[in-house]
Amino acid sequence: MAASSSLLAVVPALLLLIAPAPAAAASPSKRPTHQPPPFPARVSPLHQRAASSSGRYAASAAAATGNGTAKPFTAHYFQQELDHFTFTPNASALFSHKYLLNDTFWRRKPTAGPLFVYMGNEGDIEWFATNTGFMFDIAPQFGALLVFIEHRFYGESKPFGNDSYKSADTLGYLTSTQALADFAVLITSLKHNLSAVDAPVVVFGGSYGGMLASWFRLKYPHVAMGALASSAPILQFEDITPWSSFYDAVSQDFKSESLNCFSVIKAVWDMLDDRGSSDTGLLELSKTFRACKTVRFPSSLSNWLWTAFTYTAMVDYPTPANFMMNLPAYPVKEMCKIIDSFPAGADVVEKAFAAASLYYNYTGDQKCFQVEGGDDPHGLSGWGWQACTEMVMPMTVSNESMFPPSGFSYEEKSEGCFASYEVRPRMNWITTEYGGHKIDKVLKRFGSNIIFSNGMRDPWSRGGVLKNISSSIIALVTEKGAHHLDFRSATKDDPDWVVEQRRQEVEIIHGWIDQYNKYIAQM
């Protein structure tokens, strides 16, 4: 397939994986450590719902926005089993598993159109559905039924409701393997209930959802005949990807816009530590940062800046967007313009704060900032458990980065996880369960029908698949793309290289479905 000159497809070169953020320091003087992200004894807490007369499906619920405007999907609930892999008495307990449907474009005759299924990741499923306009854009030409399935970690689908994160006894059911089995059971049952058993299924996912989509295709090829995995860092484990690659990429995004911008950010961390070493200094810094309450630790201020710069690099989209926050087009460039606009000799802390304010307050409606103790707007707290069990992504910060240098210690990670959850992380589990080492040689022998899309402005891309593996396992890489940019709705201002990337994805998926339908017809 011919690639646009602006695409790096097929050559060597992720939601919310949630971007790694520094953990809060235990004392004012301790430099924050940097963690990867930003995934019972009894069953009575399960929030079960009665199954409808059509099997395990509950009645649909009309979805609407806060102002009453109808959303382009309806919410449904499936009675899902708690544990797919054991046959203990607790295993067959049910919980309400949320999914969203849009059948506006679905072709039912003469043969059923495909099911396009989004693999939910770390957040409420509505959040991802409303930020995956690509699926809605392409559904008409395929006659596709759109399905968005929530991850059992998050939103309304937590098996034990608000008690799901209470202890390791309940958290233990929250694994990627259980989530993939949830998806397989729900999709299979949905196709049966819709009398569309032979309809092809293509799964989609961005970031952690993209990891799940690619793994689902490998684990359940009889359920899904293809997968589009966008910004999926499935190689961000063990020693497959250099540990410093994520923060080196964030730093390069800023350095490519302005060396002065990069240098200001690199200098701010030591100044925060120095000024925040006294109560008087913390009070002054709290005023500079317009904190709603006086900040107790300088690490909280570092975290606040760190998050802004990291997330902005991830979502450095070429058009305005509100995926994480309301941001302008090319927000990294805009942040650096703010820093570069200060006169020579201006305070470095004030420069960094002004730039980070673009992330937190681009709309200008924030009177103060919750630097400490703010609520997570997307309900992503379950990721801490995932990062302490199976999603162990070693990350370091190199001397070349604009962030303070730091290392990674499995022992420290293990002790922190045990203190939080009384569990130890399994460093090698993901690659044992799904593979990763020598993935090109392994998947070339048996895998098929996967698109790995990545944008090199996205720091997660360094842990993604950046080369074609075979004629049907394709890498589409854009030099200026950001975190699952291709999944966003098309706009009139999209650069040509984004349009071309999406066109290639559609063409490849058409080929998969045509081949599948020919096979079904022959049968």
Side-chain angles (χ1 to χ4, degrees), residues 432-457:
T432 301
E433 178 68 17
Y434 304 115
H437 293 283
K438 298 180 180 178
I439 192 172
D440 53 339
K441 295 178 175 61
V442 173
L443 293 191
K444 190 172 184 177
R445 290 198 300 269
F446 86 95
S448 65
N449 293 8
I450 304 175
I451 302 169
F452 291 102
S453 66
N454 281 283
M456 298 307 289
R457 298 288 286 183

PDB file of all heavy atoms in Angstrom, residues 432-457:
ATOM      1  N   THR A 432       4.497 -12.800  29.523  1.00  0.00           N
ATOM      2  CA  THR A 432       4.168 -14.228  29.580  1.00  0.00           C
ATOM      3  C   THR A 432       2.775 -14.476  29.021  1.00  0.00           C
ATOM      4  O   THR A 432       2.552 -15.429  28.263  1.00  0.00           O
ATOM      5  CB  THR A 432       4.235 -14.734  31.032  1.00  0.00           C
ATOM      6  OG1 THR A 432       5.548 -14.519  31.556  1.00  0.00           O
ATOM      7  CG2 THR A 432       3.904 -16.221  31.109  1.00  0.00           C
ATOM      8  N   GLU A 433       1.847 -13.598  29.349  1.00  0.00           N
ATOM      9  CA  GLU A 433       0.450 -13.780  28.935  1.00  0.00           C
ATOM     10  C   GLU A 433       0.221 -13.391  27.483  1.00  0.00           C
ATOM     11  O   GLU A 433      -0.494 -14.077  26.752  1.00  0.00           O
ATOM     12  CB  GLU A 433      -0.461 -12.937  29.843  1.00  0.00           C
ATOM     13  CG  GLU A 433      -1.937 -12.982  29.493  1.00  0.00           C
ATOM     14  CD  GLU A 433      -2.587 -14.339  29.741  1.00  0.00           C
ATOM     15  OE1 GLU A 433      -2.005 -15.154  30.479  1.00  0.00           O
ATOM     16  OE2 GLU A 433      -3.675 -14.575  29.194  1.00  0.00           O
ATOM     17  N   TYR A 434       0.826 -12.290  27.040  1.00  0.00           N
ATOM     18  CA  TYR A 434       0.527 -11.749  25.714  1.00  0.00           C
ATOM     19  C   TYR A 434       1.728 -11.707  24.768  1.00  0.00           C
ATOM     20  O   TYR A 434       1.553 -11.438  23.573  1.00  0.00           O
ATOM     21  CB  TYR A 434      -0.022 -10.322  25.840  1.00  0.00           C
ATOM     22  CG  TYR A 434      -1.234 -10.204  26.723  1.00  0.00           C
ATOM     23  CD1 TYR A 434      -1.187  -9.475  27.914  1.00  0.00           C
ATOM     24  CD2 TYR A 434      -2.437 -10.813  26.381  1.00  0.00           C
ATOM     25  CE1 TYR A 434      -2.299  -9.356  28.735  1.00  0.00           C
ATOM     26  CE2 TYR A 434      -3.559 -10.699  27.195  1.00  0.00           C
ATOM     27  CZ  TYR A 434      -3.478  -9.969  28.381  1.00  0.00           C
ATOM     28  OH  TYR A 434      -4.582  -9.859  29.184  1.00  0.00           O
ATOM     29  N   GLY A 435       2.926 -11.925  25.271  1.00  0.00           N
ATOM     30  CA  GLY A 435       4.108 -11.802  24.437  1.00  0.00           C
ATOM     31  C   GLY A 435       4.621 -10.378  24.379  1.00  0.00           C
ATOM     32  O   GLY A 435       4.116  -9.490  25.049  1.00  0.00           O
ATOM     33  N   GLY A 436       5.656 -10.173  23.583  1.00  0.00           N
ATOM     34  CA  GLY A 436       6.264  -8.855  23.451  1.00  0.00           C
ATOM     35  C   GLY A 436       7.689  -8.948  22.959  1.00  0.00           C
ATOM     36  O   GLY A 436       8.098  -8.190  22.079  1.00  0.00           O
ATOM     37  N   HIS A 437       8.455  -9.861  23.511  1.00  0.00           N
ATOM     38  CA  HIS A 437       9.822 -10.058  23.048  1.00  0.00           C
ATOM     39  C   HIS A 437       9.811 -10.650  21.638  1.00  0.00           C
ATOM     40  O   HIS A 437       9.051 -11.577  21.333  1.00  0.00           O
ATOM     41  CB  HIS A 437      10.565 -10.995  23.999  1.00  0.00           C
ATOM     42  CG  HIS A 437      10.800 -10.412  25.352  1.00  0.00           C
ATOM     43  ND1 HIS A 437      11.781  -9.471  25.597  1.00  0.00           N
ATOM     44  CD2 HIS A 437      10.176 -10.622  26.548  1.00  0.00           C
ATOM     45  CE1 HIS A 437      11.763  -9.132  26.873  1.00  0.00           C
ATOM     46  NE2 HIS A 437      10.792  -9.822  27.479  1.00  0.00           N
ATOM     47  N   LYS A 438      10.643 -10.080  20.766  1.00  0.00           N
ATOM     48  CA  LYS A 438      10.745 -10.528  19.372  1.00  0.00           C
ATOM     49  C   LYS A 438       9.363 -10.620  18.720  1.00  0.00           C
ATOM     50  O   LYS A 438       9.044 -11.566  17.999  1.00  0.00           O
ATOM     51  CB  LYS A 438      11.451 -11.887  19.303  1.00  0.00           C
ATOM     52  CG  LYS A 438      12.879 -11.847  19.833  1.00  0.00           C
ATOM     53  CD  LYS A 438      13.551 -13.200  19.739  1.00  0.00           C
ATOM     54  CE  LYS A 438      14.985 -13.124  20.268  1.00  0.00           C
ATOM     55  NZ  LYS A 438      15.661 -14.455  20.224  1.00  0.00           N
ATOM     56  N   ILE A 439       8.554  -9.609  18.977  1.00  0.00           N
ATOM     57  CA  ILE A 439       7.160  -9.645  18.532  1.00  0.00           C
ATOM     58  C   ILE A 439       7.046  -9.729  17.023  1.00  0.00           C
ATOM     59  O   ILE A 439       6.107 -10.336  16.490  1.00  0.00           O
ATOM     60  CB  ILE A 439       6.383  -8.413  19.079  1.00  0.00           C
ATOM     61  CG1 ILE A 439       4.872  -8.609  18.879  1.00  0.00           C
ATOM     62  CG2 ILE A 439       6.879  -7.125  18.446  1.00  0.00           C
ATOM     63  CD1 ILE A 439       4.044  -7.556  19.560  1.00  0.00           C
ATOM     64  N   ASP A 440       8.000  -9.146  16.307  1.00  0.00           N
ATOM     65  CA  ASP A 440       7.930  -9.181  14.848  1.00  0.00           C
ATOM     66  C   ASP A 440       8.042 -10.612  14.332  1.00  0.00           C
ATOM     67  O   ASP A 440       7.271 -11.031  13.454  1.00  0.00           O
ATOM     68  CB  ASP A 440       9.010  -8.294  14.237  1.00  0.00           C
ATOM     69  CG  ASP A 440      10.401  -8.617  14.759  1.00  0.00           C
ATOM     70  OD1 ASP A 440      10.514  -9.223  15.846  1.00  0.00           O
ATOM     71  OD2 ASP A 440      11.375  -8.267  14.076  1.00  0.00           O
ATOM     72  N   LYS A 441       8.960 -11.371  14.887  1.00  0.00           N
ATOM     73  CA  LYS A 441       9.131 -12.752  14.441  1.00  0.00           C
ATOM     74  C   LYS A 441       7.978 -13.630  14.899  1.00  0.00           C
ATOM     75  O   LYS A 441       7.519 -14.520  14.169  1.00  0.00           O
ATOM     76  CB  LYS A 441      10.458 -13.298  14.954  1.00  0.00           C
ATOM     77  CG  LYS A 441      11.686 -12.595  14.372  1.00  0.00           C
ATOM     78  CD  LYS A 441      12.968 -13.150  14.954  1.00  0.00           C
ATOM     79  CE  LYS A 441      14.185 -12.533  14.272  1.00  0.00           C
ATOM     80  NZ  LYS A 441      14.242 -11.073  14.441  1.00  0.00           N
ATOM     81  N   VAL A 442       7.491 -13.398  16.106  1.00  0.00           N
ATOM     82  CA  VAL A 442       6.408 -14.228  16.650  1.00  0.00           C
ATOM     83  C   VAL A 442       5.104 -13.997  15.897  1.00  0.00           C
ATOM     84  O   VAL A 442       4.455 -14.940  15.428  1.00  0.00           O
ATOM     85  CB  VAL A 442       6.213 -13.947  18.156  1.00  0.00           C
ATOM     86  CG1 VAL A 442       4.984 -14.681  18.684  1.00  0.00           C
ATOM     87  CG2 VAL A 442       7.451 -14.357  18.942  1.00  0.00           C
ATOM     88  N   LEU A 443       4.694 -12.753  15.753  1.00  0.00           N
ATOM     89  CA  LEU A 443       3.403 -12.473  15.115  1.00  0.00           C
ATOM     90  C   LEU A 443       3.439 -12.743  13.617  1.00  0.00           C
ATOM     91  O   LEU A 443       2.408 -13.041  13.013  1.00  0.00           O
ATOM     92  CB  LEU A 443       2.987 -11.030  15.381  1.00  0.00           C
ATOM     93  CG  LEU A 443       2.647 -10.678  16.831  1.00  0.00           C
ATOM     94  CD1 LEU A 443       2.002  -9.305  16.908  1.00  0.00           C
ATOM     95  CD2 LEU A 443       1.739 -11.717  17.466  1.00  0.00           C
ATOM     96  N   LYS A 444       4.613 -12.641  13.030  1.00  0.00           N
ATOM     97  CA  LYS A 444       4.719 -12.939  11.598  1.00  0.00           C
ATOM     98  C   LYS A 444       4.361 -14.390  11.316  1.00  0.00           C
ATOM     99  O   LYS A 444       3.849 -14.729  10.241  1.00  0.00           O
ATOM    100  CB  LYS A 444       6.136 -12.640  11.117  1.00  0.00           C
ATOM    101  CG  LYS A 444       6.306 -12.674   9.601  1.00  0.00           C
ATOM    102  CD  LYS A 444       7.679 -12.188   9.190  1.00  0.00           C
ATOM    103  CE  LYS A 444       7.802 -12.121   7.685  1.00  0.00           C
ATOM    104  NZ  LYS A 444       9.123 -11.578   7.271  1.00  0.00           N
ATOM    105  N   ARG A 445       4.582 -15.261  12.308  1.00  0.00           N
ATOM    106  CA  ARG A 445       4.323 -16.682  12.105  1.00  0.00           C
ATOM    107  C   ARG A 445       2.846 -17.031  12.244  1.00  0.00           C
ATOM    108  O   ARG A 445       2.390 -18.001  11.650  1.00  0.00           O
ATOM    109  CB  ARG A 445       5.129 -17.511  13.106  1.00  0.00           C
ATOM    110  CG  ARG A 445       6.635 -17.504  12.852  1.00  0.00           C
ATOM    111  CD  ARG A 445       7.305 -18.662  13.573  1.00  0.00           C
ATOM    112  NE  ARG A 445       7.115 -18.622  15.008  1.00  0.00           N
ATOM    113  CZ  ARG A 445       7.954 -18.024  15.861  1.00  0.00           C
ATOM    114  NH1 ARG A 445       9.036 -17.410  15.392  1.00  0.00           N
ATOM    115  NH2 ARG A 445       7.731 -18.040  17.160  1.00  0.00           N
ATOM    116  N   PHE A 446       2.111 -16.282  13.076  1.00  0.00           N
ATOM    117  CA  PHE A 446       0.722 -16.713  13.293  1.00  0.00           C
ATOM    118  C   PHE A 446      -0.309 -15.592  13.357  1.00  0.00           C
ATOM    119  O   PHE A 446      -1.511 -15.853  13.236  1.00  0.00           O
ATOM    120  CB  PHE A 446       0.613 -17.535  14.590  1.00  0.00           C
ATOM    121  CG  PHE A 446       0.429 -16.702  15.823  1.00  0.00           C
ATOM    122  CD1 PHE A 446      -0.843 -16.462  16.333  1.00  0.00           C
ATOM    123  CD2 PHE A 446       1.510 -16.125  16.475  1.00  0.00           C
ATOM    124  CE1 PHE A 446      -1.025 -15.692  17.465  1.00  0.00           C
ATOM    125  CE2 PHE A 446       1.339 -15.358  17.594  1.00  0.00           C
ATOM    126  CZ  PHE A 446       0.065 -15.144  18.104  1.00  0.00           C
ATOM    127  N   GLY A 447       0.094 -14.344  13.538  1.00  0.00           N
ATOM    128  CA  GLY A 447      -0.880 -13.272  13.709  1.00  0.00           C
ATOM    129  C   GLY A 447      -1.345 -12.700  12.385  1.00  0.00           C
ATOM    130  O   GLY A 447      -0.748 -12.928  11.332  1.00  0.00           O
ATOM    131  N   SER A 448      -2.440 -11.948  12.423  1.00  0.00           N
ATOM    132  CA  SER A 448      -2.959 -11.293  11.219  1.00  0.00           C
ATOM    133  C   SER A 448      -3.955 -10.217  11.609  1.00  0.00           C
ATOM    134  O   SER A 448      -4.463 -10.182  12.736  1.00  0.00           O
ATOM    135  CB  SER A 448      -3.629 -12.310  10.282  1.00  0.00           C
ATOM    136  OG  SER A 448      -4.794 -12.861  10.895  1.00  0.00           O
ATOM    137  N   ASN A 449      -4.220  -9.334  10.644  1.00  0.00           N
ATOM    138  CA  ASN A 449      -5.301  -8.346  10.728  1.00  0.00           C
ATOM    139  C   ASN A 449      -5.232  -7.457  11.972  1.00  0.00           C
ATOM    140  O   ASN A 449      -6.190  -7.381  12.751  1.00  0.00           O
ATOM    141  CB  ASN A 449      -6.671  -9.043  10.657  1.00  0.00           C
ATOM    142  CG  ASN A 449      -6.943  -9.668   9.304  1.00  0.00           C
ATOM    143  OD1 ASN A 449      -6.075  -9.716   8.442  1.00  0.00           O
ATOM    144  ND2 ASN A 449      -8.163 -10.150   9.116  1.00  0.00           N
ATOM    145  N   ILE A 450      -4.101  -6.800  12.138  1.00  0.00           N
ATOM    146  CA  ILE A 450      -3.963  -5.801  13.199  1.00  0.00           C
ATOM    147  C   ILE A 450      -3.307  -4.562  12.591  1.00  0.00           C
ATOM    148  O   ILE A 450      -2.323  -4.666  11.863  1.00  0.00           O
ATOM    149  CB  ILE A 450      -3.098  -6.298  14.376  1.00  0.00           C
ATOM    150  CG1 ILE A 450      -3.648  -7.599  14.958  1.00  0.00           C
ATOM    151  CG2 ILE A 450      -3.020  -5.226  15.469  1.00  0.00           C
ATOM    152  CD1 ILE A 450      -2.754  -8.206  16.042  1.00  0.00           C
ATOM    153  N   ILE A 451      -3.882  -3.404  12.890  1.00  0.00           N
ATOM    154  CA  ILE A 451      -3.254  -2.126  12.557  1.00  0.00           C
ATOM    155  C   ILE A 451      -2.746  -1.521  13.859  1.00  0.00           C
ATOM    156  O   ILE A 451      -3.511  -1.355  14.811  1.00  0.00           O
ATOM    157  CB  ILE A 451      -4.234  -1.142  11.898  1.00  0.00           C
ATOM    158  CG1 ILE A 451      -4.838  -1.726  10.625  1.00  0.00           C
ATOM    159  CG2 ILE A 451      -3.537   0.182  11.604  1.00  0.00           C
ATOM    160  CD1 ILE A 451      -5.999  -0.903  10.086  1.00  0.00           C
ATOM    161  N   PHE A 452      -1.464  -1.208  13.910  1.00  0.00           N
ATOM    162  CA  PHE A 452      -0.886  -0.451  15.016  1.00  0.00           C
ATOM    163  C   PHE A 452      -0.621   0.968  14.505  1.00  0.00           C
ATOM    164  O   PHE A 452       0.232   1.170  13.644  1.00  0.00           O
ATOM    165  CB  PHE A 452       0.419  -1.080  15.491  1.00  0.00           C
ATOM    166  CG  PHE A 452       0.267  -2.405  16.177  1.00  0.00           C
ATOM    167  CD1 PHE A 452       0.545  -3.588  15.500  1.00  0.00           C
ATOM    168  CD2 PHE A 452      -0.162  -2.476  17.494  1.00  0.00           C
ATOM    169  CE1 PHE A 452       0.413  -4.816  16.132  1.00  0.00           C
ATOM    170  CE2 PHE A 452      -0.305  -3.703  18.128  1.00  0.00           C
ATOM    171  CZ  PHE A 452      -0.022  -4.880  17.450  1.00  0.00           C
ATOM    172  N   SER A 453      -1.369   1.937  15.013  1.00  0.00           N
ATOM    173  CA  SER A 453      -1.155   3.324  14.591  1.00  0.00           C
ATOM    174  C   SER A 453      -0.513   4.117  15.725  1.00  0.00           C
ATOM    175  O   SER A 453      -0.879   3.960  16.896  1.00  0.00           O
ATOM    176  CB  SER A 453      -2.476   3.977  14.168  1.00  0.00           C
ATOM    177  OG  SER A 453      -3.362   4.105  15.263  1.00  0.00           O
ATOM    178  N   ASN A 454       0.458   4.940  15.382  1.00  0.00           N
ATOM    179  CA  ASN A 454       1.157   5.751  16.378  1.00  0.00           C
ATOM    180  C   ASN A 454       1.546   7.098  15.784  1.00  0.00           C
ATOM    181  O   ASN A 454       1.837   7.207  14.587  1.00  0.00           O
ATOM    182  CB  ASN A 454       2.431   5.046  16.857  1.00  0.00           C
ATOM    183  CG  ASN A 454       2.158   3.957  17.868  1.00  0.00           C
ATOM    184  OD1 ASN A 454       1.912   4.229  19.044  1.00  0.00           O
ATOM    185  ND2 ASN A 454       2.191   2.708  17.415  1.00  0.00           N
ATOM    186  N   GLY A 455       1.559   8.121  16.635  1.00  0.00           N
ATOM    187  CA  GLY A 455       2.074   9.431  16.271  1.00  0.00           C
ATOM    188  C   GLY A 455       3.299   9.717  17.099  1.00  0.00           C
ATOM    189  O   GLY A 455       3.298   9.536  18.324  1.00  0.00           O
ATOM    190  N   MET A 456       4.362  10.175  16.480  1.00  0.00           N
ATOM    191  CA  MET A 456       5.635  10.307  17.175  1.00  0.00           C
ATOM    192  C   MET A 456       5.702  11.499  18.126  1.00  0.00           C
ATOM    193  O   MET A 456       6.654  11.622  18.900  1.00  0.00           O
ATOM    194  CB  MET A 456       6.778  10.361  16.163  1.00  0.00           C
ATOM    195  CG  MET A 456       6.899   9.088  15.330  1.00  0.00           C
ATOM    196  SD  MET A 456       6.992   7.562  16.326  1.00  0.00           S
ATOM    197  CE  MET A 456       8.627   7.744  17.036  1.00  0.00           C
ATOM    198  N   ARG A 457       4.714  12.378  18.119  1.00  0.00           N
ATOM    199  CA  ARG A 457       4.643  13.419  19.149  1.00  0.00           C
ATOM    200  C   ARG A 457       4.149  12.828  20.468  1.00  0.00           C
ATOM    201  O   ARG A 457       4.325  13.432  21.529  1.00  0.00           O
ATOM    202  CB  ARG A 457       3.710  14.561  18.714  1.00  0.00           C
ATOM    203  CG  ARG A 457       4.134  15.305  17.473  1.00  0.00           C
ATOM    204  CD  ARG A 457       5.334  16.189  17.696  1.00  0.00           C
ATOM    205  NE  ARG A 457       5.012  17.409  18.451  1.00  0.00           N
ATOM    206  CZ  ARG A 457       5.882  18.369  18.716  1.00  0.00           C
ATOM    207  NH1 ARG A 457       7.136  18.247  18.287  1.00  0.00           N
ATOM    208  NH2 ARG A 457       5.541  19.435  19.390  1.00  0.00           N
TER     209      ARG A 457
END
